[in-house]
Amino acid sequence: MDSSTLRKRVPASTLLDWKTVAPAIGASVRKLDPRALITNPVMFVVWIVAVLASLLLVRDLVAGAAGIGFTLQIVLWLWFTVLFANFAEAIAERRGKAQADSLRETRTRTKAKRLLVPGNTELFEMVWAEELSPGDLVVVEAGDLIPGDGEVVEGMASVNEAAITGESAPVIRESGGDRSAVTGGTTVISDRIVVKITAAKGSSFLDRMIALIEGAARQKTPNEIALNILLAGLSLIFVFAVATIPSFVAYAGGTVPFVVLAALFVTLIPTTIGALLSAIGIAGMDRLVRFNVLAMSGHAVEAAGDVDTLLLDKTGTITLGNRQATAFRPLRGVSEQELADAAQLASLADETPEGRSIVVLAKEKYGIRGRDLAELRGRSIPFSANTRMSGMEVGASWVRKGAVDSVIAFLDSPPVDTGGNVAQALRPRLGADAVREINAIAEEIAKAGGTPLAVAKDGRLLGVIQLKDIVKGGIRERFAELRRMGIRTVMITGDNPMTAAAIAAEAGVDDFLAQATPEDKLRLIREEQAKGKLVAMCGDGTNDAPALAQADVGVAMNTGTQAAREAGNMVDLDSNPTKLIEVVEIGKQLLMTRGALTTFSIANDVAKYFAILPAIFVAVYPQLGVLNIMGLASPQSAILSAIVFNALIIVALIPLALKGVRYRAIGAGPLLRRNLLVYGLGGVVTPFIGIKAIDMAIVALGLA
Ligand SMILES: Nc1ncnc2c1ncn2[C@@H]1O[C@H](COP(=O)(O)OP(=O)(O)OP(=O)(O)O)[C@@H](O)[C@H]1O
Ligand SMILES: [K+]
Ligand SMILES: [Mg+2]
């Protein structure tokens, strides 16, 4: 599976696309509103300078002062500077807009079949989807749109999720297991399910997705805020630097007009990065969406760029997740029929995919017919990630199935509530031989990557159910790629160490943790974080939810449970854990782009200082003539070329801000050196060339 199989939902629109550019121009003007600009300190300062310069222009016009043409040009370019910055942001926002519009179309008015009596799928009322509230049960049949986000509580169906994933291959959604979440706006294509609505109106997955893509939900990340403060600080220094200039000039008997100071100031402050910062952030989120990953916060995207450790759960994340029973392996002295019968009884009320597959195997291979639960008058013991067992109790008789060590431990210390008679009955039967034999069978299954489930009935070990799960295709190469990027992969699973080891070896993870409870998963993340590591976690189950919430980057599989999807700060619509490679690359690209353009911007400003100051001062201090290596035509053309260059460089860098600096897995050190060279040196050199060229053009056009 190379990155080309990760299909991009919408082709990246080109910058020359008029449909993108035209509305962005309108938005740039609307964004001149100072209330919107205030979050961008550098641009806000430019805005203030532009307003002051405009007022002076009006005053000069009224007074009929000389040299209006020059002032007018400076004022115009000051406004262009702000407009170009707004344009960069608007273009970045536009790119998600088309996609949000197409998502909105899927949000048509839907009718829902709301159950009147829980448990009876025949009795329902028709209501509008908007009328549903969390807790409502709806029945959804083949051909129906799922009316809202929720959890499948009954049945199994294949669902077409193309509306949100862009992928029309049907996916299975079923109750009980880790594939129970359904999304409003997707379509059931076969069978019938009962869905318990979980999302309130207006906060559905689709709504959140639209808000995210449009950038409405975007908040500045701590890094962005820090950078903004730094840039504001730099601007403040230049306020003082520029404010002292008039006194130097006055000393030599000259004066400097305000517009010249204003233009000088704006060319010296870090306007380039100030203008592009927001666009860089939006483009990062947008790039993720193209890879079918929804990031709930920009912070998660940034953290992804620095991830050290990736934790993944096994079933459903590394493996396909439909662990199917494939064989019954009885102990000596137990018939396959007897084991199959007990296994079936233990699974009758087990709504997990594992449980259902056991009932199916017992029926298909051993002809064991379904028993009526109600008739049995049994008490079902549901599966939990903590006990790692499930089963049934009928009177004094009982069956359990589950992780081998859990079942053995259970036999060793029966819970008091099952009654003293049970405790009496079992002790003598749990011989060392049986334990040895069951471990041998379990080992054989586990070594092949299967999950062994021990079955015990009335204190007696009967044998093992073999569950088979398949490692997702192409995962090995992708983990190798993560290793090259310097990321350690760790599989954490509730399964036994031997199965874990086999799957870990097959998938090619660096390390694994077996028999992990949800608390263990959480603890492992905290430990890594305490060592100063940034941790990403991919998971799908409700038992992964605490870990997903704790991780710096929590990627929930879209196929997972609602709890997992809400706990993480990213959702992968394709449920492909190796997508983390793209997520990390996009994160790194975002950080690098921001770093590169900051370097470029500051190098640029420093260079401009040396390019234009001699030209401005040469009139009052002729000795500075030797420094005027650029040979700019006049102080006026020097200042005009500088402000024009300063504004145009923003537009010139928009494509780079949106596309991002290319990431290569060559290690942090060499990468930093390379970027410093390209963007630092480039930042120093470009103004000299650019300003000289513009100066020549200005002279040729007779503008100054
Ligand atoms: N329906 C079930 N009934 C009894 N035991 C089960 C059932 N499903 C799983 N088990 C046992 O419980 C163990 C833990 O399962 P669980 O699904 O909680 O693992 P997990 O922590 O999610 O790990 P992963 O999903 O990565 O494999 C399994 O390895 C298996 O031995
Ligand atoms: K500048
Ligand atoms: Mg799981």
Side-chain angles (χ1 to χ4, degrees):
M1 186 171 23
D2 61 348
S3 50
S4 66
T5 58
L6 300 170
R7 124 207 69 78
K8 292 164 196 147
R9 22 187 320 140
V10 182
S13 47
T14 57
L15 284 168
L16 299 172
D17 182 352
W18 185 244
K19 280 210 283 300
T20 314
V21 171
I25 293 175
S28 315
V29 177
R30 281 195 300 279
K31 282 172 186 281
L32 284 176
D33 182 341
R35 286 167 301 181
L37 268 175
I38 196 131
T39 55
N40 184 341
V42 175
M43 277 307 139
F44 187 62
V45 166
V46 179
W47 183 88
I48 292 175
V49 169
V51 170
L52 290 177
S54 305
L55 291 175
L56 287 177
L57 176 68
V58 174
R59 188 199 65 183
D60 286 358
L61 272 175
V62 173
I68 293 278
F70 175 71
T71 311
L72 175 69
Q73 289 185 68
I74 296 283
V75 167
L76 281 178
W77 284 101
L78 286 173
W79 282 116
F80 277 138
T81 310
V82 187
L83 278 171
F84 290 165
N86 292 348
F87 180 70
E89 187 179 71
I91 278 276
E93 286 169 351
R94 275 319 294 183
R95 302 210 305 172
K97 195 96 181 132
Q99 197 168 6
D101 288 345
S102 84
L103 278 176
R104 214 174 260 118
E105 274 166 33
T106 65
R107 236 179 10 175
T108 44
R109 269 168 83 80
T110 329
K111 281 260 180 177
K113 298 168 183 162
R114 179 161 64 191
L115 296 194
L116 292 168
V117 187
N120 186 344
T121 53
E122 303 304 323
L123 271 180
F124 56 77
E125 56 179 347
M126 298 300 291
V127 295
W128 286 109
E130 299 95 273
E131 297 170 48
L132 294 172
S133 45
D136 281 352
L137 293 173
V138 292
V139 58
V140 195
E141 291 165 297
D144 291 350
L145 269 178
I146 296 177
D149 295 357
E151 195 99 51
V152 181
V153 290
E154 197 186 311
M156 174 190 214
S158 53
V159 178
N160 181 337
E161 297 198 330
I164 55 163
T165 62
E167 170 66 79
S168 56
V171 291
I172 300 293
R173 290 289 177 267
E174 59 191 343
S175 62
D178 285 348
R179 301 192 288 177
S180 58
V182 287
T183 309
T186 59
T187 317
V188 168
I189 49 184
S190 80
D191 304 289
R192 175 160 83 166
I193 45 177
V194 177
V195 173
K196 185 173 186 176
I197 299 295
T198 52
K201 192 174 130 240
S203 67
S204 74
F205 194 67
L206 210 57
D207 291 324
R208 272 165 43 210
M209 203 168 151
I210 292 168
L212 265 170
I213 292 169
E214 287 193 318
R218 199 183 105 86
Q219 283 179 328
K220 286 203 163 50
T221 70
N223 279 340
E224 257 177 279
I225 294 170
L227 186 54
N228 258 320
I229 292 172
L230 180 81
L231 298 178
L234 270 175
S235 308
L236 196 65
I237 293 173
F238 280 113
V239 170
F240 295 120
V242 172
T244 55
I245 289 177
S247 56
F248 284 116
V249 176
Y251 184 75
T255 54
V256 207
F258 175 82
V259 277
V260 170
L261 290 178
L264 182 64
F265 171 69
V266 168
T267 54
L268 296 185
I269 64 173
T271 44
T272 317
I273 183 64
L276 298 173
L277 195 53
S278 168
I280 295 169
I282 296 170
M285 303 271 261
D286 189 58
R287 224 168 294 137
L288 272 181
V289 172
R290 278 168 216 284
F291 278 103
N292 259 352
V293 175
L294 299 183
M296 304 302 165
S297 78
H299 181 58
V301 187
E302 284 178 2
D306 280 332
V307 157
D308 304 292
T309 315
L310 167 62
L311 307 183
L312 308 108
D313 109 312
K314 174 176 74 75
T315 315
T317 305
I318 291 181
T319 65
L320 291 177
N322 51 340
R323 278 189 292 202
Q324 299 283 308
T326 49
F328 295 118
R329 307 275 306 268
L331 293 187
R332 257 191 310 256
V334 180
S335 72
E336 273 186 49
Q337 198 73 20
E338 194 182 349
L339 173 61
D341 190 78
Q344 189 245 27
L345 184 61
S347 307
L348 272 185
D350 184 358
E351 269 297 311
T352 67
E354 288 87 349
R356 274 200 300 268
S357 79
I358 292 167
V359 175
V360 169
L361 182 70
K363 183 173 174 193
E364 285 179 353
K365 208 160 160 210
Y366 301 93
I368 295 167
R369 282 180 297 113
R371 280 176 266 211
D372 190 0
L373 259 183
E375 240 168 62
L376 266 176
R377 274 184 238 276
R379 186 165 83 93
S380 72
I381 314 288
F383 170 71
S384 91
N386 280 310
T387 62
R388 300 204 271 125
M389 285 192 301
S390 55
M392 176 79 78
E393 290 179 358
V394 185
S397 176
W398 59 265
V399 274
R400 286 290 189 285
K401 67 167 197 293
V404 177
D405 60 311
S406 303
V407 172
I408 291 175
F410 176 77
L411 286 173
D412 263 341
S413 57
V416 268
D417 69 311
T418 45
N421 51 343
V422 172
Q424 294 300 314
L426 68 91
R427 283 231 174 249
R429 311 245 186 162
L430 187 63
D433 280 353
V435 172
R436 211 173 302 123
E437 201 189 344
I438 205 155
N439 279 332
I441 299 174
E443 192 176 325
E444 192 188 310
I445 295 171
K447 282 207 169 131
T451 295
L453 288 188
V455 180
K457 186 169 190 220
D458 299 332
R460 184 168 160 237
L461 272 176
L462 296 183
V464 186
I465 307 167
Q466 174 176 337
L467 298 177
K468 195 167 176 299
D469 199 359
I470 295 165
V471 171
K472 288 182 183 170
I475 215 161
R476 216 188 148 78
E477 299 72 40
R478 303 274 289 170
F479 283 148
E481 206 173 323
L482 279 167
R483 196 167 306 119
R484 275 197 295 281
M485 295 167 94
I487 296 168
R488 196 168 76 97
T489 50
V490 183
M491 182 181 90
I492 29 176
T493 174
D495 224 328
N496 71 84
M498 243 174 302
T499 305
I503 298 283
E506 193 181 339
V509 287
D510 294 322
D511 205 351
F512 68 88
L513 178 71
Q515 282 167 354
T517 61
E519 294 75 29
D520 291 336
K521 296 186 182 188
L522 186 61
R523 192 169 329 114
L524 187 69
I525 295 185
R526 290 220 171 107
E527 275 167 19
E528 288 283 315
Q529 287 172 331
K531 286 188 242 163
K533 301 256 158 87
L534 273 177
V535 183
M537 159 92 192
C538 290
D540 65 341
T542 302
N543 60 350
D544 299 320
L548 283 170
Q550 175 68 29
D552 301 285
V553 184
V555 189
M557 304 290 102
N558 188 46
T559 54
T561 60
Q562 204 63 30
R565 296 206 309 186
E566 267 157 32
N569 50 19
M570 288 192 194
V571 175
D572 178 18
L573 296 176
D574 298 327
S575 304
N576 173 358
T578 71
K579 192 84 76 65
L580 203 89
I581 293 175
E582 277 72 26
V583 175
V584 168
E585 277 181 357
I586 290 168
K588 283 197 193 295
Q589 210 179 17
L590 172 81
L591 296 175
M592 272 172 35
T593 308
R594 194 185 285 154
L597 288 179
T598 304
T599 310
F600 185 91
S601 180
I602 291 172
N604 225 295
D605 294 333
V606 172
K608 271 178 273 187
Y609 195 81
F610 291 105
I612 54 175
L613 271 194
I616 294 174
F617 277 98
V618 78
V620 282
Y621 292 108
Q623 314 88 287
L624 283 178
V626 288
L627 287 179
N628 189 8
I629 46 165
M630 303 264 300
L632 299 179
S634 68
Q636 283 207 340
S637 77
I639 202 79
L640 196 55
S641 339
I643 190 89
V644 171
F645 173 83
N646 190 63
L648 291 183
I649 196 77
I650 295 173
V651 181
L653 289 174
I654 291 177
L656 183 63
L658 296 186
K659 243 176 66 213
V661 172
R662 225 184 86 196
Y663 167 74
R664 296 156 208 233
I666 55 169
L671 205 59
L672 186 68
R673 273 195 295 282
R674 183 185 164 274
N675 283 348
L676 272 180
L677 196 72
V678 173
Y679 296 97
L681 206 62
V684 170
V685 174
T686 5
F688 285 94
I689 302 168
I691 291 176
K692 181 71 191 173
I694 296 170
D695 182 73
M696 285 159 66
I698 284 174
V699 172
L701 295 171
L703 293 171

